[in-house]
Amino acid sequence: MNDLTKRLSDCRLCPRQCRIDRLNGQCGICRAGALPKIALASLHRWEEPCISGTRGSGTVFFSHCNLSCLFCQNYDISQHNFGKEISIDALAGLFIKQQQRGAHNINLVSPTSFMPQIAEALTIAKEHGLAIPVIYNSNAYESVDALRYIGDLIDVYLPDLKYFSDEYAVKYSKAPHYFEHATAAIMEMYQQVGSPQFDDEGIIKRGLIIRHLMLPGLIEDSKQILLWIRNNLPIEVYVSLMAQYTPMYKAKEHERLNRRISRRQYEDIIDYFFDIGLENGYVQERSSAKSIYTPDFDLSGL
């Protein structure tokens, strides 16, 4: 039994620890199967400047997700499972194609459910000339053991850090002990890649950038997240404060989530960022909170 087969026949890729046999059609919480499923491969120009650069980030959007966020902007692929299953060889070819298109990097969006398949595809792609940085872009609800398995193939980690409070993590994403698992994962990511390093064009080539999506009304939760970053990671680590929250999917059914973040909340969190001594990162404008920035998942680029 090879390592890929072993990991899919007793799936423990994330904190859910479903232990189901995906090779024989069993589905866990994320509902992913044995083959990687892709919804879009594009040159994305709306990531952080050091990721999108001038030519775009080579995003590969994977279907399925191990969270169930009520406000997910990508719900068509994360919750409704839209996408196309492809072979591991085809996935390796897709990575090479993104490099040929001129992408600054390979950006694996929501890769957790397909980590072993991605590892095998990256190994093949690197043997066939893949040389641009690989970004692991995830919700951080990860298994440290699984991250160690794929770590040698990843150059940049781009995790979310969504919640400090377990109450919100369970209520809005059905993710018990989210902060505990996410912070352990982020510390492992930092151990693997360290603080950001950039090339002569200002494009990141290695390192950790932590994203935090500001959610309406959760000012203190955001502050606790920023404080944890300040107290546990070097000042050189980058933080990306995201203001793009737009009520989508089931958010409109919940009074707190059915609105954008306020200007007061936005300014309060940014002020706190600097007040506690954080220095590096990015802040989205509140004008980014528009549904037009959500990708059109139409299987383009496959």
Side-chain angles (χ1 to χ4, degrees), residues 2 8 18 20 23 59 67 70 73 78 90 92-93 95 113 122 130 150 154 156 161 178 185 223 227 248 287 290:
N2 63 34
L8 293 180
C18 294
I20 46 89
L23 298 177
T59 50
L67 296 186
L70 298 177
Q73 292 185 321
S78 67
F95 295 152
S113 298
L122 283 172
L130 183 68
I150 201 172
I154 304 301
V156 177
L161 188 48
Y178 173 84
K223 288 181 178 180
L227 187 61
M248 296 184 70
S287 59
K290 298 177 182 177

Side-chain angles (χ1 to χ4, degrees), residues 114-125:
F114 299 106
M115 196 180 297
Q117 299 96 319
I118 290 169
E120 190 163 311
L122 283 172
T123 300
I124 295 169

Side-chain angles (χ1 to χ4, degrees), residues 27-76:
C27 292
I29 288 175
C30 75
R31 304 169 299 282
L35 290 174
K37 186 189 273 189
I38 316 296
L40 176 68
S42 63
L43 290 180
H44 197 47
R45 302 183 186 277
W46 301 109
E47 304 283 45
E48 287 77 3
C50 69
I51 294 174
S52 288
T54 57
R55 301 193 303 272
S57 178
T59 50
V60 179
F61 285 86
F62 291 88
S63 307
H64 302 282
C65 185
N66 63 343
L67 296 186
S68 299
C69 299
L70 298 177
F71 49 84
C72 183
Q73 292 185 321
N74 297 346
Y75 64 91
D76 281 342

Side-chain angles (χ1 to χ4, degrees), residues 7-42:
R7 288 182 177 271
L8 293 180
S9 63
D10 182 28
C11 192
R12 288 175 284 170
L13 292 176
C14 80
R16 302 290 190 185
Q17 298 287 292
C18 294
R19 305 203 67 163
I20 46 89
D21 186 354
R22 289 167 56 179
L23 298 177
N24 286 313
Q26 294 181 2
C27 292
I29 288 175
C30 75
R31 304 169 299 282
L35 290 174
K37 186 189 273 189
I38 316 296
L40 176 68
S42 63

